[in-house]
Amino acid sequence: MLKTMHRPFHVSPWHLTLACGLFKLLLAAAAFALPLSQVDDLPRLVGLLLLAGGFSELLLSWTGRHSWVGRITFGSGALTVVLGALFIGGPWKGLYPLGPFVTVWFLLRALLSIDVAFQSRLTPMANWIWLLLRGFVDLALGLLLLAGAPLAMLAIVVFGEVREFVTLFSATLAVSFAIAGGGLVAIALTQRHYHRSDPFMIAS
């Protein structure tokens, strides 16, 4: 006998999920182009990208705010908005002073994504492998920034904020956006396949 467990994975319409995923892919492309910008403009541009990404997550999570995954998505978006506000509103020059905040952001988002992936692995439309991939990618990016911080600081002290650091920073941000966007697109297409936006986990 089948028993339905009312534990919705995602309650946003599939076309909203798809739009958010495509928007994240556009943000990834913009992040890859950051090294072409003037160094003095970088904190503000990164902040704008983070704000855009964070608000898109908040929008996506709003319809699911009463579900467990909706609250986690909302928390992830809120973290991103706070980080974007730090980039825009702080008295920062260059990207390096904000490196530790970005590292913490990557690690926190990684924990959230991995937790959601394992919690939703039996849900038909969760595409939990994408969520797990996103979590491990963010974890790897956070650890990469953490490991490279001493060398980056030495190079900045000697040469100033070098283009290589800017390129690495931009690439990590772009990869994170790209994986998140790709995952949302995959989830949206699976939602569309099942023809409903609020799947429930069904267990025997």
Side-chain angles (χ1 to χ4, degrees):
M1 182 177 180
L2 293 179
K3 177 177 67 175
T4 301
M5 299 175 60
H6 292 277
R7 195 178 189 186
F9 166 73
H10 200 276
V11 291
S12 293
W14 72 267
H15 49 274
L16 180 59
T17 307
L18 179 63
C20 186
L22 294 175
F23 183 63
K24 288 278 184 124
L25 292 176
L26 288 176
L27 293 179
F32 269 122
L34 282 175
L36 302 176
S37 307
Q38 296 294 324
V39 172
D40 292 341
D41 294 333
L42 285 173
R44 183 177 59 85
L45 293 175
V46 171
L48 290 174
L49 289 177
L50 290 169
L51 284 179
F55 279 122
S56 69
E57 286 189 354
L58 293 180
L59 173 64
L60 186 63
S61 68
W62 182 249
T63 52
R65 62 191 181 280
H66 299 303
S67 70
W68 59 278
V69 74
R71 294 189 187 100
I72 291 175
T73 305
F74 188 88
S76 176
L79 282 173
T80 307
V81 168
V82 169
L83 183 63
L86 280 174
F87 269 85
I88 292 176
W92 321 103
K93 291 185 178 179
L95 294 176
Y96 184 77
L98 288 159
F101 295 100
V102 178
T103 300
V104 171
W105 175 71
F106 274 132
L107 297 179
L108 289 177
R109 281 169 54 90
L111 293 177
L112 288 173
S113 294
I114 292 171
D115 179 62
V116 173
F118 281 112
Q119 291 288 342
S120 63
R121 65 189 183 279
L122 299 179
T123 307
M125 281 185 274
N127 280 6
W128 73 281
I129 294 297
W130 270 104
L131 295 170
L132 192 65
L133 176 63
R134 169 182 164 172
F136 281 122
V137 167
D138 278 352
L139 180 62
L141 294 175
L143 293 176
L144 175 65
L145 287 180
L146 185 63
L151 291 177
M153 185 171 183
L154 177 61
I156 289 169
V157 168
V158 176
F159 303 107
E161 194 157 270
V162 294
R163 185 62 58 180
E164 288 77 12
F165 174 75
V166 174
T167 301
L168 174 63
F169 183 93
S170 303
T172 58
L173 195 63
V175 169
S176 180
F177 278 137
I179 294 296
L184 288 173
V185 169
I187 290 171
L189 295 178
T190 308
Q191 283 181 308
R192 184 187 181 191
H193 175 73
Y194 278 86
H195 298 292
R196 56 179 184 165
S197 61
D198 56 342
F200 294 101
M201 181 168 63
I202 299 177
S204 57

